Amino acid sequence: MSIRDVEKEKIINEKNKYCIEKEMVEIRHPGFDGIEIEAITTYCKAFGIDLPKIPFHIGKIFINPGMLYVFIKAIKELGIGYECNHINPLKIFELYRKSLEKKFAQQFDEDEDMESIEEGINKVIEFGLNLENFEFEINYKKAGQKLKPIHSKLLSFLVSEGVFRKIDKKGKLYIRFTYQKFENFYIVNYILDNKPELINKIIKTKNFMLIEALITLYPQKFNKELYKDYPYILKNFFDLYKRSVYFRDPNSITEKFLNDIREIDYKSYIEFLIYFSIYPNHRFNNLLHKKLLKLKLVDRDYVWTIIINNIFIEKNNLIRQIINWTIKNEVPNESKYFYGRLLSWFLTSTNRELRDKATKALVNLYTNHLCEFLKILKEFENVNDLYVLERLYATLYGIILRSEKKCFKEVAVYIYETIFDKDFVIEHILVREYASLAIKHILNFLDLDFIDLKKINPPYNYHINWTLPDISKEEVNKYKDDFFAIYHSTIHRDFKKYIIYPTFDKFLDLKIKNRPHKICEEFKKKKERYEKFFESLNEGQIKLYKHIQKFSLNNLLVKYENLNKDMLKLINEENINNPLEILIERESENSLESEQEFIDSLNEKQKKEYLVFIQNYNDRINLPKINLKNIKRFIFLEAIKFGWKKEYFEDYEKYLNHTDRYDKKIERIGKKYQWIAYYKALAKVSDNYEIKDKRDWSKIGEFKGAYQLNFVRNIDPSTVLVKKPLLQNHKYWFQINDKWQSLDLAHEEWIKSDKNLPSIEQFVNLEKELNLAISFSIDSNKDLETYRNLYYHIDSFLIEKNELNSFIKWLKKYNFYGQHKLPQSSELYQIFLREYPNSEIFKYFDDEYYSQFNWTNEYNDIKFPSKILLTTTEYMKESGGYDKSIEEPISIMLPNKWIINKMNLNQNIMDGEWINNENKAVIYDPTIKKGNRFFEEYRSLLVQRKEFLEFLDKENLSIIWILWGEKQIRQKDWHRNGKVYEIGEICGYGYFDDEKFLEKKWICNKE
């Protein structure tokens, strides 16, 4: 049986109840629920029309495939674009009727204004009602007789167009409405206009489909709710009433109706306010905003944040539909303000996925609409929730990185005057960081003399001398019982261990205002004294001294950090349990003779200085760390100031689903207050205390921004990607035949053989493009007990043309199999995608310490015969991190900064696509483009062949691809027992010799 939800109760009776409930399998068909966007896009494409500008995601109207079909078909046949702020079934049916009127008039040379279709449908309804049967199964001949006076072909036309369908019952023909929703609304509309006396009958018979239409249309016809005349309707049919709100004319909804809904179900009331908020002309579109804006933080979190958290975890909920629509689609200009205002209120949420996706939705909504977003920023200027303000400034920064330069000056003026040009800068490290970076990006394009650069750079509030207070254990313990979860999280558990301590451990107990620091000045003098001694030595003494230094304890620990051949030999020959300790002891003994020889070579003054000072000199300084206990206690005391209340939040927080710290998508309200306090503490500490150097923690660094602290910036607002687009078929874009398996060879032979290795050229020298990098792994038949695996990793490098041959000769002699043999970039997870490649943030990470490479002739102490440039790097965001908008890991291959700047490229609005001055995509990561021919799990970066080769020729450069890979014999289920039989190490390279591609591959551990 196929039954509509609202009809289910009608078919259940005492005779069949047991069978239906106990023996039948029930499968709910959701229609397009949750995939409305994909369905609408597919239908529009099939009909060859542009996507209509209406809020498809609202009201669940288009989860019904028939309703969607009728609507899209009507637009197509009327030949119109369609744009409106509200859509409901009657509007759709009216469009459908008009399209039929037009088609009927053209086909039968009739006057369209005669409205024959409407007259015919009403005649059928009138006849059906006279039969006093709401089932509307009408004899075909009798229906034809009723319609013949209008037009002899009218009934056959309505059947052919799908308004009615024929049914054969025992040789007799009947007609029914094809679309039940269409039938219900048209029947009720007719009854309300012509036979209102039938209303009571509809209610008494519990015809839920007609009641749903009745509830929807009654206020529109009579300017009052149905339950005013039939009081029991609201509670008895509350679900139908809820659904009707999305179908009805917005003007038919009154404040009294909303208050009645609120009394029965507060969550539904909030959902309706959310729904109304996005419509520009809705009478209640300001109601939610006004209510939320005047509330205190703690009260708002109680009556709003908890509710939206609960709504969002429901399947295919309204909030998720609004966010998903806004992330993926263009919203009409007149609606942007209303969407933006609503999305901004979603930022109060402690559901990380909701908050993070709302941030991405805001960024997409206002990309290239910066002036419009400025209105939102001003609207929330005095909001008392820093959770909201932080993300609005993150959104602002993301929009600026993605947008054209329109409105840049107005935004810079607003940020500067609102945040920085004041006696006191807001104490929230992320608000002011995003604000500062936004201005700095604008200054790359505009000369704004009125901006004082000192004011937009840290440290801020330097005129306020703040010192971290000494907070006793007793001072915080007295709040332990009243703020149990906040206390334990901040003082003892996850927030302390994983958030507070790792971040603040980078700060020193040295006040910025006390520069230069006494401890540093003393160390400076010691270093100068050491250098003076070293300068007094002759060449022979220097040689002896350097030899001694090799055997210092620190150097020996580094030398024997891993089990090397010496250690293994020692273990095997002498059966020693602690080889590291013994080896260090032996080498230290061996160095004593050298040290005595060095001392004997010194004059009396040098000897005295050596024994008194140099012998114990340490080139590292122990800088005092900031007091982490005081930090966590300060954060706790600040967090509880926000007014967390047991009666508001204790029961809600008790039942939250707790998993590991990364998967906690829904956090406590108290955790929100911890985060705000944490960002305040970071602001105060970074304003007043020194930070360690990024590489050498024995040195003082310079604090420039939160980007120096891991994971403090916990969302990338410069991209709206939540995952890479999926391909229809998960197949390799390249074609590899099975020859690589060489099944005629035994396993041992195959491992050592370069027979049938796939060519490098097929992966990199494409028809119109060159592939700068690729890696993949492929298996033979994994159903066998042992099977073969091939892995390729190909990077490309630029090199001067006249150096290419000497570099190739060097490659032939050098085993470059594996990582760490040639430059290979690590994923950039510290930066935002569009901070690459010329922002101050990327410059901070742009060195070999973070595996970012410029032209070099050395890597890991390996000297190359010429300078080379790795052509790619990689951006990475993990799905398991703090950013819960990320549904699957996102990696995007990027061209080297040198190439981007030399070719004068800019990143397009599509992430990972680099365009030239003519807006042509020159370089792009093909795994980002939907429908591309590349398998999304594999890295690749394509460059237009013609443009790139011309560029290389102009710069007198060549490109060489270098391959390292593996051949493995694997055992079935090897990932469980980890057993890999053997590895064949593959080396290879390829390059252009004029137009011809030459390559060489070999097994580099064959011997």
Side-chain angles (χ1 to χ4, degrees):
M1 292 184 290
S2 178
I3 311 156
R4 283 190 65 196
D5 288 350
V6 293
E7 288 185 299
K8 186 177 174 183
E9 289 185 23
K10 190 192 296 186
I11 62 114
I12 298 177
N13 56 46
E14 289 302 318
K15 291 182 179 180
N16 64 26
K17 185 176 181 181
Y18 181 86
C19 175
I20 289 174
E21 293 182 354
K22 303 294 183 182
E23 296 181 3
M24 295 185 74
V25 176
E26 182 176 327
I27 300 173
R28 184 177 180 273
H29 193 299
F32 294 143
D33 198 2
I35 57 167
E36 295 97 324
I37 297 170
E38 291 84 349
I40 292 158
T41 304
T42 302
Y43 272 57
C44 288
K45 186 177 180 180
F47 277 92
I49 65 170
D50 294 332
L51 198 69
K53 292 183 178 179
I54 62 170
F56 284 111
H57 55 292
I58 297 300
K60 295 185 175 291
I61 291 174
F62 294 117
I63 67 173
N64 184 312
M67 190 76 73
L68 178 59
Y69 176 80
V70 165
F71 178 62
I72 300 298
K73 184 181 180 185
I75 293 176
K76 169 73 172 178
E77 293 186 349
L78 286 171
I80 60 170
Y82 197 74
E83 183 172 346
C84 70
N85 296 316
H86 179 79
I87 191 75
N88 61 35
L90 276 184
K91 283 189 176 183
I92 294 171
F93 299 149
E94 186 62 15
L95 272 177
Y96 181 47
R97 183 190 64 79
K98 284 182 178 180
S99 71
L100 293 175
E101 300 281 12
K102 181 179 179 180
K103 191 170 184 178
F104 182 78
Q106 290 174 346
Q107 190 169 329
F108 297 103
D109 196 24
E110 292 283 328
D111 186 352
E112 193 175 331
D113 294 332
M114 291 295 292
E115 296 185 332
S116 302
I117 300 299
E118 182 175 25
E119 186 181 355
I121 291 171
N122 284 336
K123 281 286 184 184
V124 172
I125 293 172
E126 180 184 15
F127 180 61
L129 290 175
N130 287 335
L131 296 174
E132 297 189 0
N133 179 8
F134 290 136
E135 297 299 324
F136 274 80
E137 206 168 82
I138 299 170
N139 183 279
Y140 181 72
K141 285 185 178 179
K142 291 181 179 179
Q145 291 169 1
K146 292 286 181 182
L147 298 188
K148 192 172 183 180
I150 304 172
H151 195 285
S152 60
K153 300 291 185 180
L154 182 56
L155 181 59
S156 60
F157 176 81
L158 292 174
V159 171
S160 67
E161 289 300 317
V163 177
F164 299 113
R165 59 190 173 94
K166 289 182 184 178
I167 301 170
D168 189 335
K169 281 194 171 184
K170 297 180 180 179
K172 290 187 177 182
L173 288 178
Y174 294 83
I175 61 167
R176 287 192 67 111
F177 279 96
T178 301
Y179 303 109
Q180 204 163 29
K181 205 82 167 176
F182 184 98
E183 172 187 338
N184 300 334
F185 274 77
Y186 254 93
I187 289 173
V188 169
N189 193 53
Y190 181 87
I191 288 172
L192 293 177
D193 285 340
N194 302 286
K195 291 192 173 186
E197 65 273 9
L198 293 177
I199 293 173
N200 204 42
K201 182 181 178 182
I202 292 173
I203 297 171
K204 281 185 177 180
T205 56
K206 292 187 177 181
N207 190 312
F208 295 108
M209 295 176 294
L210 292 179
I211 291 173
E212 179 183 51
L214 191 60
I215 289 170
T216 302
L217 298 178
Y218 197 89
Q220 193 171 320
K221 296 286 186 180
F222 302 114
N223 202 28
K224 60 181 176 179
E225 295 295 330
L226 181 64
Y227 64 81
K228 292 300 177 183
D229 293 330
Y230 303 89
Y232 57 90
I233 284 287
L234 182 58
K235 288 188 178 179
N236 289 357
F237 300 100
F238 185 71
D239 286 341
L240 293 180
Y241 248 103
K242 282 170 56 179
R243 189 152 55 179
S244 79
V245 171
Y246 301 112
F247 292 164
R248 64 203 296 179
D249 184 340
N251 294 320
S252 70
I253 296 170
T254 65
E255 193 165 356
K256 178 65 172 64
F257 168 70
L258 291 177
N259 289 333
D260 291 340
I261 293 292
R262 180 175 183 168
E263 290 297 316
I264 297 174
D265 185 8
Y266 182 74
K267 184 168 77 70
S268 295
Y269 169 74
I270 291 296
E271 285 184 294
F272 294 156
L273 294 190
I274 290 171
Y275 171 64
F276 302 151
S277 295
I278 63 170
Y279 291 124
N281 300 315
H282 200 290
R283 62 196 296 190
F284 295 120
N285 60 14
N286 290 314
L287 187 58
L288 178 66
H289 180 65
K290 287 179 178 179
K291 284 179 178 292
L292 294 178
L293 198 59
K294 67 183 181 181
L295 291 174
K296 294 180 180 178
L297 169 64
V298 68
D299 295 331
R300 188 189 303 115
D301 282 335
Y302 178 57
V303 302
W304 166 253
T305 301
I306 290 176
I307 301 300
I308 61 173
N309 284 355
N310 288 336
I311 293 172
F312 193 70
I313 62 177
E314 296 174 357
K315 188 176 180 182
N316 300 326
N317 60 81
L318 177 64
I319 296 174
R320 190 179 292 276
Q321 289 168 356
I322 292 171
I323 289 173
N324 286 349
W325 174 266
T326 317
I327 286 178
K328 298 176 182 178
N329 296 279
E330 178 71 20
V331 171
N333 289 336
E334 63 272 18
S335 299
K336 286 186 186 297
Y337 169 76
F338 298 94
Y339 276 80
R341 194 173 62 178
L342 177 63
L343 289 167
S344 298
W345 281 122
F346 291 158
L347 302 178
T348 70
S349 178
T350 58
N351 184 313
R352 297 187 73 102
E353 183 189 4
L354 167 52
R355 185 167 180 253
D356 293 343
K357 285 190 172 177
T359 305
K360 295 283 181 81
L362 277 166
V363 171
N364 189 59
L365 178 66
Y366 289 108
T367 293
N368 288 323
H369 297 280
L370 189 55
C371 295
E372 294 300 310
F373 184 70
L374 187 55
K375 296 176 186 176
I376 296 295
L377 213 55
K378 290 178 178 178
E379 188 83 47
F380 285 85
E381 182 176 324
N382 297 313
V383 68
N384 57 7
D385 189 343
L386 286 173
Y387 237 41
V388 174
L389 200 64
E390 170 217 322
R391 281 304 174 84
L392 287 177
Y393 272 90
T395 298
L396 173 68
Y397 180 45
I399 294 168
I400 287 173
L401 289 176
R402 292 166 56 85
S403 295
E404 298 167 356
K405 304 173 189 63
K406 186 179 180 182
C407 217
F408 268 21
K409 183 177 180 180
E410 293 90 330
V411 169
V413 170
Y414 175 79
I415 300 172
Y416 184 66
E417 292 178 350
T418 306
I419 302 295
F420 299 111
D421 197 19
K422 293 184 172 184
D423 291 333
F424 179 78
V425 177
I426 186 171
E427 289 182 324
H428 191 293
I429 196 166
L430 290 181
V431 171
R432 61 198 199 183
E433 167 125 330
Y434 295 138
S436 171
L437 292 173
I439 292 179
K440 289 175 185 176
H441 183 77
I442 291 172
L443 290 176
N444 290 330
F445 304 96
L446 301 178
D447 185 14
L448 303 177
D449 294 336
F450 64 89
I451 291 178
D452 183 348
L453 294 180
K454 288 183 179 179
K455 287 187 176 183
I456 67 171
N457 284 298
Y460 307 97
N461 300 327
Y462 43 81
H463 57 287
I464 301 173
N465 184 18
W466 179 83
T467 301
L468 178 65
D470 190 13
I471 304 169
S472 67
K473 187 177 181 180
E474 291 70 29
E475 194 172 345
V476 297
N477 281 353
K478 63 186 178 183
Y479 300 106
K480 177 179 177 181
D481 294 334
D482 291 334
F483 303 96
F484 183 83
I486 298 175
Y487 173 86
H488 282 281
S489 175
T490 308
I491 302 301
H492 296 300
R493 294 179 185 163
D494 61 321
F495 203 70
K496 179 206 85 169
K497 184 177 180 182
Y498 299 114
I499 306 298
I500 298 174
Y501 276 20
T503 302
F504 285 93
D505 190 48
K506 295 178 176 65
F507 289 93
L508 301 166
D509 193 14
L510 295 172
K511 297 288 292 289
I512 293 173
K513 76 180 186 73
N514 294 334
R515 293 176 179 171
H517 303 288
K518 184 179 178 181
I519 188 171
C520 297
E521 291 299 298
E522 291 175 352
F523 179 74
K524 184 179 178 183
K525 290 178 181 177
K526 288 180 180 179
K527 189 175 181 181
E528 289 172 353
R529 184 176 173 183
Y530 173 83
E531 290 172 349
K532 185 178 180 181
F533 170 80
F534 194 79
E535 288 171 1
S536 71
L537 303 178
N538 59 39
E539 288 185 14
Q541 290 170 328
I542 290 173
K543 188 176 180 180
L544 281 170
Y545 182 70
K546 286 184 176 180
H547 179 70
I548 295 167
Q549 287 299 103
K550 288 182 181 179
F551 299 99
S552 68
L553 181 59
N554 285 338
N555 287 335
L556 289 174
L557 285 171
V558 171
K559 181 178 179 181
Y560 292 112
E561 187 174 8
N562 299 309
L563 286 177
N564 55 26
K565 292 180 180 178
D566 292 329
M567 283 180 139
L568 293 172
K569 184 178 180 181
L570 195 64
I571 293 168
N572 294 332
E573 292 180 0
E574 304 184 27
N575 195 26
I576 293 174
N577 292 325
N578 298 306
L580 177 60
E581 184 179 326
I582 298 300
L583 283 167
I584 289 175
E585 183 180 332
R586 287 183 182 179
E587 294 217 31
S588 297
E589 288 173 0
N590 293 336
S591 72
L592 290 176
E593 292 182 11
S594 299
E595 184 177 24
Q596 188 58 51
E597 183 181 354
F598 172 71
I599 293 172
D600 291 342
S601 72
L602 302 174
N603 61 39
E604 289 301 317
K605 184 179 179 181
Q606 289 173 324
K607 189 180 296 183
K608 181 180 179 181
E609 180 69 353
Y610 179 79
L611 296 173
V612 171
F613 175 70
I614 301 298
Q615 197 172 35
N616 298 311
Y617 172 74
N618 189 343
D619 63 355
R620 299 176 68 85
I621 182 173
N622 292 319
L623 297 170
K625 295 181 179 180
I626 202 163
N627 189 317
L628 295 177
K629 289 184 178 180
N630 281 335
I631 291 286
K632 70 178 181 180
R633 291 167 186 168
F634 174 78
I635 291 172
F636 168 72
L637 293 176
E638 287 295 318
I640 64 176
K641 288 180 183 178
F642 293 110
W644 184 94
K645 295 180 180 181
K646 272 189 178 183
E647 61 270 29
Y648 278 7
F649 306 120
E650 187 174 50
D651 289 341
Y652 170 72
E653 293 182 353
K654 193 181 295 181
Y655 295 105
L656 288 179
N657 179 31
H658 293 292
T659 53
D660 67 75
R661 63 191 174 96
Y662 292 111
D663 275 341
K664 279 185 187 173
K665 289 186 178 180
I666 308 176
E667 296 184 327
R668 294 174 289 103
I669 303 296
K671 186 75 169 284
K672 170 179 177 175
Y673 302 158
Q674 290 170 220
W675 280 113
I676 297 173
Y678 165 77
Y679 293 133
K680 178 178 181 178
L682 272 173
K684 294 178 83 71
V685 168
S686 63
D687 281 347
N688 292 276
Y689 288 86
E690 303 281 15
I691 192 171
K692 299 172 184 175
D693 183 78
K694 67 176 180 179
R695 296 186 186 179
D696 187 349
W697 281 21
S698 68
K699 296 178 181 179
I700 295 176
E702 181 182 357
F703 182 78
K704 296 180 178 180
Y707 58 84
Q708 295 169 249
L709 309 170
N710 286 343
F711 307 115
V712 171
R713 305 195 310 170
N714 50 27
I715 189 170
D716 181 352
S718 72
T719 172
V720 296
L721 275 178
V722 295
K723 62 181 179 180
K724 288 189 176 183
L726 294 176
L727 297 179
Q728 292 296 320
N729 299 304
H730 286 195
K731 295 181 179 179
Y732 299 101
W733 61 270
F734 46 79
Q735 297 297 318
I736 298 181
N737 58 39
D738 293 337
K739 289 183 178 180
W740 66 269
Q741 299 177 33
S742 297
L743 297 177
D744 57 318
L745 301 179
H747 285 338
E748 294 75 12
E749 292 179 279
W750 179 77
I751 281 291
K752 300 296 183 183
S753 172
D754 58 10
K755 180 182 178 182
N756 294 329
L757 282 175
S759 71
I760 297 172
E761 182 178 13
Q762 73 178 98
F763 305 119
V764 302
N765 188 17
L766 310 181
E767 184 179 350
K768 294 182 179 180
E769 300 132 331
L770 299 176
N771 196 357
L772 298 181
I774 184 172
S775 60
F776 66 88
S777 177
I778 190 169
D779 298 310
S780 63
N781 188 351
K782 294 178 73 172
D783 292 330
L784 301 175
E785 284 303 315
T786 57
Y787 62 93
R788 298 177 179 183
N789 170 268
L790 177 70
Y791 173 73
Y792 265 30
H793 180 104
I794 303 173
D795 282 317
S796 61
F797 298 85
L798 302 187
I799 188 171
E800 289 190 12
K801 282 185 177 181
N802 58 3
E803 300 285 347
L804 179 61
N805 289 332
S806 61
F807 185 72
I808 290 173
K809 288 179 182 177
W810 176 81
L811 279 177
K812 291 177 180 178
K813 300 175 182 177
Y814 174 53
N815 184 343
F816 49 86
Y817 160 80
Q819 300 179 17
H820 314 303
K821 297 293 185 70
L822 290 168
Q824 185 175 329
S825 64
S826 293
E827 298 93 348
L828 284 165
Y829 64 88
Q830 307 95 333
I831 70 166
F832 298 161
L833 176 62
R834 290 173 189 272
E835 289 175 335
Y836 183 81
N838 294 316
S839 70
E840 72 169 60
I841 295 88
F842 176 67
K843 288 175 185 176
Y844 180 82
F845 297 103
D846 184 21
D847 56 40
E848 290 191 22
Y849 182 77
Y850 294 101
S851 296
Q852 301 303 310
F853 297 97
N854 293 305
W855 286 94
T856 182
N857 62 355
E858 184 179 358
Y859 178 65
N860 279 352
D861 296 327
I862 300 166
K863 299 282 187 180
F864 310 141
S866 52
K867 283 189 174 184
I868 57 174
L869 179 75
L870 178 64
T871 60
T872 61
T873 187
E874 188 173 4
Y875 165 88
M876 167 64 76
K877 280 292 178 286
E878 294 285 355
S879 56
Y882 289 105
D883 181 357
K884 295 302 178 187
S885 71
I886 304 296
E887 296 172 4
E888 296 173 4
I890 296 172
S891 64
I892 301 176
M893 294 299 295
L894 303 169
N896 188 289
K897 180 180 82 170
W898 185 89
I899 295 173
I900 292 171
N901 292 332
K902 277 288 185 178
M903 295 188 75
N904 197 20
L905 303 177
N906 291 292
Q907 193 164 186
N908 195 10
I909 193 65
M910 175 173 281
D911 295 325
E913 183 175 86
W914 300 84
I915 58 175
N916 60 18
N917 293 331
E918 298 171 353
N919 288 324
K920 180 180 179 180
V922 176
I923 303 178
Y924 64 95
D925 182 330
T927 67
I928 301 301
K929 288 191 173 185
K930 193 169 185 178
N932 69 78
R933 64 189 187 279
F934 282 64
F935 190 30
E936 68 274 3
E937 291 184 8
Y938 296 99
R939 59 197 288 272
S940 178
L941 187 67
L942 298 187
V943 57
Q944 293 295 328
R945 177 192 178 92
K946 179 176 179 292
E947 284 83 352
F948 195 62
L949 291 180
E950 286 176 356
F951 162 74
L952 293 181
D953 192 56
K954 178 184 174 184
E955 297 292 329
N956 197 33
L957 297 173
S958 293
I959 181 169
I960 182 169
W961 286 267
I962 297 180
L963 157 71
W964 68 267
E966 295 178 352
K967 299 175 82 172
Q968 291 188 24
I969 305 297
R970 291 179 175 175
Q971 185 181 17
K972 194 175 183 181
D973 296 331
W974 72 277
H975 58 282
R976 275 185 236 160
N977 56 37
K979 188 172 182 181
V980 178
Y981 281 53
E982 199 171 355
I983 293 179
E985 299 172 0
I986 303 170
C987 294
Y989 59 84
Y991 62 97
F992 285 107
D993 184 4
D994 292 330
E995 292 294 319
K996 190 175 181 182
F997 191 90
L998 303 178
E999 65 177 89
K1000 179 176 174 61
K1001 305 176 296 296
W1002 67 94
I1003 304 299
C1004 37
N1005 65 335
K1006 188 172 183 178
E1007 299 301 332

